[in-house]
Amino acid sequence: SGTGNKSNVILSYQVNASENARKLTIVLDNGLKWVSCTVEQAASGQQPEPEPDPLPQPDTDLTRTGWLELPAMDDKELGYYSHSFEMKGKTYRNYSFGWSQKDLVALWVAYPLCSMFTNKTVGRTDAWAYDPILGQEYSSAPFGGYGGSYARGHQLPSADRLCCKDANVQTFYGTNLTPQLNGHNEGIWQALEDKVRTIANNSDTTYVVTGCMVRNPIGTTTDSDGKKMSVPSHYFKALLRYSKASTLGQWSAAGFYLEHRNYSKGSSGYDFKAVSMSIDELEEKTGLDFFVNLPAKVGEETAARLEAQNPENSSVWW
């Protein structure tokens, strides 16, 4: 039963009362191609104790990609994974993430952003699902919201991936979501997402790292399966903008660091300058090393200068 994403399709079964094991082959056919899998059920009284599936191995190839959005991946407590999608016969990277199984949230989600991704050919899918990389056992469950009335806050926004259905569906995986206060999620966070999208649509590419802080969480909540999740104390975004035609310099960088609370909106909007900072300062606050592949692209000296930039002094961001 079930429709939509494969993670939402459920097989119900009963005890096998016969003396013999039985097999079932499931075939999915969309008229163009088909796939199948076979499951086996032992006879009644012979059911083996199920062995828990091991946590999927991290994607070690990520460190060799050279993707500019990636931070350093040297935290042995995190699992590093990546999603991609196909569009018009080509494969594109969607996002990468550093997963904390202990906290049941991604501590960061990294992705490229430009008008290709936001060009609207599909609407918001609301395809809430377990992350198929981790499966139901290890992924958070985003169905129906979280305990304590926390919102399901996207790290990679749905509106940043409207180029095709598969790209948008992947933004609704549990690994891309964190428990977020409604007022924060629908207030300053959404406004910052809009701001970043506008910046990216007016550049060639903006490389984004969105993340959350759980070293000292403000509490815990539960997902829709009852698994415990840490509630982040802060959220952040690290931005690296490339615009070949810019008269203000081809490369620019900025960081934003927000306490997880409700913010007041002034008559001219939210005060983003008050939460902005250099990449160097953001690295001090988060303990992450952002844009580790940038020196290979622009040189050590230029990369250091970019990460030390104070965005408050640049009209690129305002």
Side-chain angles (χ1 to χ4, degrees):
S1 66
T3 60
N5 187 278
K6 61 185 179 183
S7 300
N8 296 332
V9 178
I10 299 171
L11 173 66
S12 298
Y13 61 93
Q14 295 175 323
V15 171
N16 179 10
S18 72
E19 296 180 356
N20 302 311
R22 60 185 180 181
K23 292 184 178 180
L24 171 69
T25 298
I26 305 168
V27 180
L28 300 180
D29 187 346
N30 69 358
L32 298 176
K33 62 180 182 179
W34 61 272
V35 294
S36 67
C37 71
T38 300
V39 293
E40 182 173 353
Q41 186 182 33
S44 180
Q46 302 176 10
Q47 301 287 357
E49 287 294 325
E51 291 286 339
D53 292 330
L55 184 66
Q57 291 299 304
D59 188 350
T60 55
D61 288 337
L62 270 180
T63 58
R64 296 191 289 270
T65 62
W67 296 341
L68 286 178
E69 69 270 18
L70 291 177
M73 291 175 283
D74 53 8
D75 188 335
K76 291 181 171 52
E77 293 185 2
L78 298 185
Y80 301 106
Y81 308 97
S82 182
H83 287 294
S84 62
F85 63 91
E86 291 189 7
M87 182 174 66
K88 298 180 180 178
K90 293 184 178 181
T91 299
Y92 297 89
R93 68 183 185 270
N94 200 354
Y95 62 92
S96 307
F97 60 99
W99 179 248
S100 171
Q101 194 61 49
K102 174 174 66 73
D103 299 291
L104 218 63
V105 295
L107 300 196
W108 56 261
V109 175
Y111 49 95
L113 185 60
C114 62
S115 57
M116 183 201 77
F117 293 104
T118 59
N119 182 36
K120 188 172 183 179
T121 61
V122 297
R124 178 185 169 104
T125 59
D126 283 316
W128 312 99
Y130 301 111
D131 190 315
I133 291 178
L134 299 179
Q136 179 176 353
E137 184 173 359
Y138 295 108
S139 173
S140 60
F143 313 101
Y146 302 133
S149 299
Y150 285 105
R152 296 167 288 185
H154 284 68
Q155 301 214 61
L156 166 58
S158 165
D160 284 2
R161 292 294 187 263
L162 298 177
C163 53
C164 70
K165 182 179 179 181
D166 285 349
N168 190 264
V169 162
Q170 291 175 0
T171 69
F172 289 91
Y173 290 162
T175 49
N176 185 46
L177 306 167
T178 67
Q180 203 169 46
L181 294 168
N182 280 287
H184 188 276
N185 182 51
E186 297 175 1
I188 192 171
W189 191 247
Q190 185 178 78
L192 182 57
E193 291 174 339
D194 292 340
K195 178 180 179 63
V196 172
R197 197 156 38 246
T198 299
I199 290 169
N201 285 338
N202 288 290
S203 63
D204 290 289
T205 305
T206 297
Y207 302 95
V208 185
V209 186
T210 298
C212 62
M213 302 295 294
V214 292
R215 285 188 300 225
N216 297 294
I218 62 175
T220 60
T221 185
T222 53
D223 68 5
S224 49
D225 282 350
K227 298 192 289 285
K228 188 169 73 172
M229 307 176 72
S230 294
V231 180
S233 61
H234 296 77
Y235 286 90
F236 63 84
K237 286 185 181 288
L239 310 178
L240 176 65
R241 178 182 183 267
Y242 175 71
S243 182
K244 186 176 181 180
S246 175
T247 58
L248 300 172
Q250 292 184 347
W251 294 94
S252 302
F256 296 87
Y257 190 74
L258 289 75
E259 186 180 349
H260 187 193
R261 60 176 174 83
N262 296 334
Y263 285 75
S264 298
K265 185 178 182 180
S267 57
S268 57
Y270 293 102
D271 184 6
F272 288 121
K273 283 189 177 182
V275 295
S276 69
M277 60 192 62
S278 69
I279 296 299
D280 282 345
E281 185 177 353
L282 186 61
E283 287 177 336
E284 290 181 8
K285 288 183 175 294
T286 62
L288 292 170
D289 183 5
F290 296 109
F291 309 126
V292 292
N293 294 316
L294 182 60
K297 182 76 173 180
V298 302
E300 294 282 351
E301 185 177 342
T302 299
R305 177 178 54 80
L306 287 168
E307 295 197 5
Q309 283 181 346
N310 182 352
E312 190 172 345
N313 301 325
S314 174
S315 57
V316 166
W317 307 106
W318 318 111

